[in-house]
Amino acid sequence: QQDELQRTVAALEASIARYKDEYAVLIGEREAIKAEMRDVEAKVARSTALLDNLGSERARWHEQRTAFQAEMATVVGDTLLCAAFL
């Protein structure tokens, strides 16, 4: 009976050791996933900032295009006025 109890205890200790090893592996995987999540969140933040900046650039370009079109519409008249003063 003593031998049987010792075998049971040894088996339980082996199970505990195995579970501890599995737990350590899972904790390591969890930390790796957390690190990857931080990296992805940083990339998303940078991407969002870039898209916001590009959006404001698009608006600026549109305004400049509109101003340029207005200038091109009057360039012939402006040229005639300049030639008249000479």
Side-chain angles (χ1 to χ4, degrees):
Q1 186 178 15
Q2 183 70 18
D3 289 340
E4 185 178 330
L5 286 175
Q6 286 178 348
R7 284 192 298 270
T8 303
V9 168
L12 290 173
E13 287 176 349
S15 293
I16 290 171
R18 188 177 69 246
Y19 291 139
K20 282 183 180 180
D21 292 341
E22 289 175 11
Y23 179 74
V25 168
L26 292 174
I27 292 297
E29 290 176 0
R30 184 188 83 175
E31 293 303 317
I33 290 171
K34 279 185 174 182
E36 186 176 348
M37 280 181 55
R38 283 191 298 272
D39 291 343
V40 169
E41 286 173 350
K43 288 178 183 177
V44 167
R46 287 193 305 268
S47 298
T48 301
L50 176 62
L51 289 175
D52 290 342
N53 290 337
L54 289 175
S56 64
E57 280 296 304
R58 179 184 174 133
R60 186 178 65 83
W61 292 338
H62 181 70
E63 290 171 8
Q64 285 181 343
R65 187 187 83 192
T66 304
F68 181 71
Q69 286 174 341
E71 288 176 12
M72 289 304 293
T74 62
V75 75
V76 173
D78 293 343
T79 304
L80 289 175
L81 282 174
C82 288
F85 283 113
L86 295 175

